[in-house]
Amino acid sequence: MSKLAVNGGTPLRDAKANPWPRWPVWDEKEEKGLLEVLAGGVWSYNGPKELEFNRAFAEFTGAEHALSVANGTVSLQLALEACGIGLGDEVIVPGLTWQATAAAALDVNAVPILVDVNEDNWCIDPAAMEEAITPRTRAIIPVHLYGGFADMDAIMEIAGRHNLRVIEDCAHKHGGEWKGRKVGSIGDAGSFSFQLSKLMTAGEGGAITTSDSQLYEKLDALRNCGRRPEIEQCGDKGAGHYGSEGDFIQSGNYRITDFQAAVLIESLKRLPEQNAIRDENAKYVNSLLSELPGVTPIRRDERETMGAYYNFSFRYDKSQFKGLDVAKFREAMAGELGCDVEASYEPLDVCSLYTPHTKPCRHKLSEEHWRQIDPARFSLPVCHRIYREESVCFHHTILMGTKADMDLLAKAIEKIYDNAEELL
Ligand SMILES: *Cc1c(COP(=O)(O)O)cnc(C)c1O
């Protein structure tokens, strides 16, 4: 008789009868905000909700300014553009991240330089980053991946020595803190995503934080078709007062709507409590995991004063599970728990959604540039090991559960450990 749920045994959790916490979270407060926008008629940009959200988000992150934009992809792109980065420049990004981190550099005509990550927290390896610096390097985009925190002390120190801009990709880390400072306020700029799966969401959306007022002014123009506001913000139906003609710069429309801002205002209010629950649960389940054979928690840096988790992840070692492949382990975990269990992102040198050479009409700026943007020229052995052999990832909703739910995670690992031969 099989014991494991993937083989027809009884699962540890009947997720139909006992579902995991739902996402997204909303109630009548979001409804009220949305109806206010509807009735107010300022559905587009610089509306009252957007201005309120920008102020609240800046205050929350501790940056001087925050600007809402269409998503967390163009936020990276605009941050690079505002820093004056483009053709002939190199931008260092980790090899293990969502494709947007590198694609943003590509889309401003810069060359994304992929570097390897630390095996213990899956974030960019500062030593590998420094080795990749050339006279053309202009910026680095560290990603605070899943529950990890990029080593901002090392990164800021190296960037300072080489005169590089630092754009934090905070798409996984809303509210995370490093030595008491929130993500997005440590580098020159912070980039956030409010896509549905993220820790704050309006379905889609993004934001850029910065304390550099020159960057802020440029970003404000770049997200809004190049318009430079003469007065700080204009709130009316789009007719505001803008700078004189010579001030305008070439750009496009990267704005969000006031509907999204209305939802984000409530999302931001919910975040601290949700983060606290996730952080406490992650600490608890990691303490259980550290007692189990064959699994290793992601290293939590002691300089990280507040955790934030887009995913809950850990490292798997098949040699301790009688050689059971990690993909089968993940399937077995999903079977026991009734939730999705995924691998990490594909390393960007082999990522099916990061393929610059499929678009010659856009990216073949020169033969040399074409060669330089080839992702296959980079070597990312740690990213590959994480992706192919070690990664076990759960969406953050799992951390919104109870302590008993966390116990179940550890029990599922033990059950698979005890019955691994069923799957060999
Ligand atoms: C989600 C994400 C982005 C892009 O955000 P979108 O809002 O989906 O465009 C960028 N970087 C990372 C690490 C992400 O996870």
Side-chain angles (χ1 to χ4, degrees), residues 74-130:
V74 298
S75 52
L76 289 166
Q77 188 187 322
L78 296 182
L80 289 168
E81 259 191 274
C83 290
I85 290 160
L87 190 60
D89 298 332
E90 293 177 353
V91 177
I92 296 176
V93 304
L96 198 72
T97 176
W98 175 237
Q99 57 94 340
T101 316
L106 199 64
D107 282 332
V108 300
N109 295 338
V111 175
I113 303 294
L114 312 181
V115 311
D116 219 341
V117 299
N118 296 318
E119 63 174 15
D120 59 0
N121 76 348
W122 303 0
C123 294
I124 195 163
D125 173 357
M129 168 194 142
E130 183 154 28

Side-chain angles (χ1 to χ4, degrees), residues 365-377:
L365 301 170
S366 68
E367 289 298 337
E368 196 207 344
H369 183 78
W370 189 244
R371 274 194 304 277
Q372 295 212 325
I373 61 173
D374 181 0
R377 77 182 175 96

Side-chain angles (χ1 to χ4, degrees), residues 3 8 27 65 67 80 99 110 112 119 122 127 133 157 178 209 220 265 275 292-293 383 388 395 401:
K3 292 230 169 67
D27 63 17
H65 311 282
L67 277 167
L80 289 168
Q99 57 94 340
E119 63 174 15
W122 303 0
I133 295 172
E157 190 273 320
W178 181 260
T209 49
D220 197 4
I265 286 169
N275 269 350
L292 298 179
C383 296
R388 292 184 200 291
H395 187 242

Side-chain angles (χ1 to χ4, degrees), residues 21-27 30 196 198-199 201 263 266-267 270 274 278 396-397 400:
R22 76 189 165 104
W23 190 260
V25 176
W26 59 276
D27 63 17
E30 277 81 358
L196 183 60
K198 307 296 164 83
L199 299 180
T201 184
V263 176
E266 301 307 325
S267 212
R270 296 179 193 280
Q274 291 171 338
R278 282 185 290 248
H396 65 80
T397 44
M400 308 278 292

